[in-house]
Amino acid sequence: MEKLKRAIPEKPVKLRIKKGDTVEVISGKDKGRRGEVIQAFPKLNKVKVKGVNIITRHRKERVRRGADPNDPARVIPGGRIEEEAPLYASKVMLVCPNCNRPTRVGYAYREGEAKPARRKYRVCKHPDCGKEIG
């Protein structure tokens, strides 16, 4: 029997969403919720958003291997642990910090004094906004 491989894109997708950005979920069970990006996975085309896509894991309490017997943090607690799971980047939309609306992301270039001469930065695609996204 052939072993199944995970669905990893052959070529990493250009994520226009970075760690620390505020995003809004546009589809799925958490539609309409906003949160900050905790972690981005460009190779998997996924992002982890704070407070969104919460899953519950059941873990057994266990002792950390090689830990000092007198260390109080040597036991990893068990129980029901809630944590954020990654979701596809296509399910979230970046929120523009200037106009506070979900927006598509464009790129523009600014002339610089030092090398490299041209610097690329993200821009809000709303016609009435069009400002730089930090």
Side-chain angles (χ1 to χ4, degrees):
M1 191 169 172
E2 207 174 305
K3 195 174 183 181
L4 296 174
K5 291 188 175 182
R6 286 189 358 194
I8 298 174
E10 290 180 23
K11 190 175 163 186
V13 182
K14 171 71 176 163
L15 279 184
R16 290 168 167 82
I17 299 168
K18 310 280 184 238
K19 179 181 174 181
D21 286 343
T22 303
V23 292
E24 185 173 316
V25 180
I26 57 172
S27 69
K29 65 178 184 180
D30 292 318
K31 182 178 180 176
R33 296 191 67 194
R34 289 186 180 191
E36 184 183 333
V37 175
I38 301 169
Q39 200 173 4
F41 306 98
K43 288 183 181 174
L44 300 174
N45 193 23
K46 291 186 174 191
V47 290
K48 198 182 274 192
V49 183
K50 191 174 194 174
V52 176
N53 199 24
I54 301 291
I55 59 168
T56 304
R57 289 246 166 101
H58 295 77
R59 289 204 187 123
K60 209 181 238 188
E61 185 178 279
R62 61 190 178 91
V63 178
R64 192 172 281 132
R65 217 178 333 165
D68 183 33
N70 300 326
D71 186 18
R74 73 185 189 100
V75 176
I76 299 171
R80 293 175 54 159
I81 297 164
E82 292 186 344
E83 59 188 17
E84 294 93 357
L87 58 142
Y88 281 102
S90 60
K91 290 187 167 218
V92 298
M93 208 169 196
L94 182 69
V95 175
C96 176
N98 303 306
C99 60
N100 202 28
R101 292 182 291 183
T103 181
R104 292 168 59 205
V105 180
Y107 286 97
Y109 293 94
R110 121 173 21 111
E111 297 300 324
E113 297 117 26
K115 288 186 181 178
R118 291 162 51 107
R119 298 296 274 180
K120 191 157 88 166
Y121 61 96
R122 298 182 297 167
V123 176
C124 176
K125 279 230 165 162
H126 279 293
D128 57 329
C129 181
K131 293 182 182 168
E132 181 180 342
I133 298 171

